[in-house]
Amino acid sequence: MSVPQTPGTFGATTTAAEVVDGVELHGRRAVVTGASSGIGVETARALASAGADVTLAVRNTAAGDRVVARLEAELPPGSGKLTVGLLDLADRSTVAAFAADWQGPLHILVNNAGVMAPQEITRTPDGREQQFGVNHLGHFALTTGLHRALAAADGARIVSVSSTGHLFSPVVFDDLDYRFRPYDPWTSYGQSKTANILFAVAAAERWADDGITANALMPGNIADTNLARHMDMQEIADFVASGAIALPPQKTVEQGAATSVLLAGSPTVAGVSGRYFEDCAEAKPVTERGTNVGGAAPYALDRDNAARLWRVSEALIG
């Protein structure tokens, strides 16, 4: 068996398969949300190839079943077991049911699912702006609902998939749901992605005594994904061309899943918690968006912001 790589050998072009080369995850159980397409599939594939039993938590269980059938045909002998569970992050009842039905310890939770930039404001059934409601609150409810299972794992890892889009906006606590501000799809997306990072910061501090680590990440600019299903591709191209948004170089889906898999299963980051990663390394701080296509905004790692968001989120999910 090959020896796991060290952090210095990972980078923007590293694939998820390379991250888990030589990594042993037999006996560990993982949940990957949004694992019926894009980097969720590749995250599930990599973790299962290293021996983890992986549950694909998805809105469309038929699509999840098709992914499982394909992965089972492609994975090598000795890979972990793949199963499918119903989870619609906009529907609080399915979130509660998924958490309640989980039995035994949970070693890895990859909060991967998300929605990006609906052009018109959309709200969840409980009245939240959709991107904040799905990307943050749905995952917050899921993870807190699974806290006991995570604590029982003795070394669980939470992985929160964020984005360089967090540079578009901090969390605007006085108007989370665009009741007063004119709706803007990009600042809304940015707010939700900042919330994903702040959640990891808060969970890392609150649950450290349970042996739980939590980190957030930017997967990269990945064209082949279902995340942008609400968007017109020409509008995106025009937006980029206008200079209103800058994007890093494109990655393949296999490269895009690498940082998630690093944080979920690699021994090279054991004990690391409350950080934000990109390209398989901790992101450098930036003090303004400008032309930056990466880096961590200070408001996204602020412990006071993280603690406030946790309190607000608890109140919002009841």
Side-chain angles (χ1 to χ4, degrees), residues 3-312:
V3 177
Q5 301 179 55
T6 61
T9 64
F10 297 139
T13 61
T14 300
T15 66
E18 290 170 340
V19 169
V20 293
D21 183 25
V23 173
E24 172 56 61
L25 296 179
H26 285 91
R28 301 191 191 182
R29 304 169 74 204
V31 169
V32 181
T33 71
S36 60
S37 64
I39 64 171
V41 174
E42 295 308 314
T43 300
R45 181 201 302 274
L47 295 176
S49 73
D53 294 333
V54 184
T55 297
L56 285 64
V58 297
R59 288 183 303 133
N60 184 337
T61 55
D65 289 338
R66 289 192 292 271
V67 170
V68 166
R70 173 161 60 88
L71 292 182
E72 285 178 340
E74 296 170 351
L75 284 166
S79 296
K81 180 181 178 182
L82 295 166
T83 56
V84 175
L86 174 64
L87 178 73
D88 181 348
L89 291 165
D91 182 345
R92 198 68 51 75
S93 66
T94 74
V95 176
F98 186 95
D101 289 344
W102 188 267
Q103 300 295 318
L106 174 60
H107 303 84
I108 299 166
L109 173 59
V110 183
N111 289 329
N112 167 80
V115 60
M116 183 170 72
Q119 296 304 292
E120 302 294 332
I121 191 164
T122 307
R123 301 195 185 278
T124 62
D126 55 349
R128 307 273 71 88
E129 186 277 316
Q130 186 184 31
Q131 294 189 87
F132 185 77
V134 170
N135 297 350
H136 169 62
L137 283 178
H139 279 128
F140 180 87
L142 174 69
T143 311
T144 53
L146 290 169
H147 172 239
R148 188 170 299 177
L150 291 161
D154 189 23
R157 298 188 186 190
I158 299 168
V159 180
S160 183
V161 179
S162 180
S163 169
T164 194
H166 83 275
L167 299 177
F168 298 159
S169 178
V171 173
V172 181
F173 287 99
D174 291 328
D175 192 20
L176 295 171
D177 295 309
Y178 286 81
R179 301 290 183 183
F180 297 92
R181 293 177 286 163
Y183 174 73
D184 176 78
W186 290 109
T187 59
S188 169
Y189 181 67
Q191 173 177 252
S192 73
K193 295 290 102 178
T194 294
N196 290 154
I197 302 172
L198 290 173
F199 172 73
V201 172
E205 183 167 350
R206 283 174 170 261
W207 294 345
D209 289 345
D210 296 316
I212 298 169
T213 60
N215 292 286
L217 70 119
M218 157 65 168
N221 174 20
I222 305 147
D224 186 16
T225 174
N226 198 35
L227 182 63
R229 61 189 178 274
H230 298 284
M231 303 169 63
D232 181 280
M233 292 300 104
Q234 186 58 51
E235 288 182 3
I236 298 176
D238 293 343
F239 197 34
V240 172
S242 74
I245 179 176
L247 294 174
Q250 280 196 359
K251 291 185 178 185
T252 66
V253 176
E254 294 81 4
Q255 292 167 340
T259 307
S260 294
V261 173
L262 176 86
L263 295 173
S266 175
T268 64
V269 292
V272 174
S273 196
R275 313 287 181 83
Y276 173 68
F277 281 67
E278 57 191 10
D279 294 337
C280 294
E282 188 172 354
K284 296 179 180 179
V286 296
T287 57
E288 62 180 354
R289 189 175 89 190
T291 59
N292 286 307
V293 294
Y299 53 74
L301 292 169
D302 184 271
R303 293 170 67 183
D304 291 336
N305 286 346
R308 182 180 182 186
L309 179 62
W310 192 285
R311 294 192 300 271
V312 168

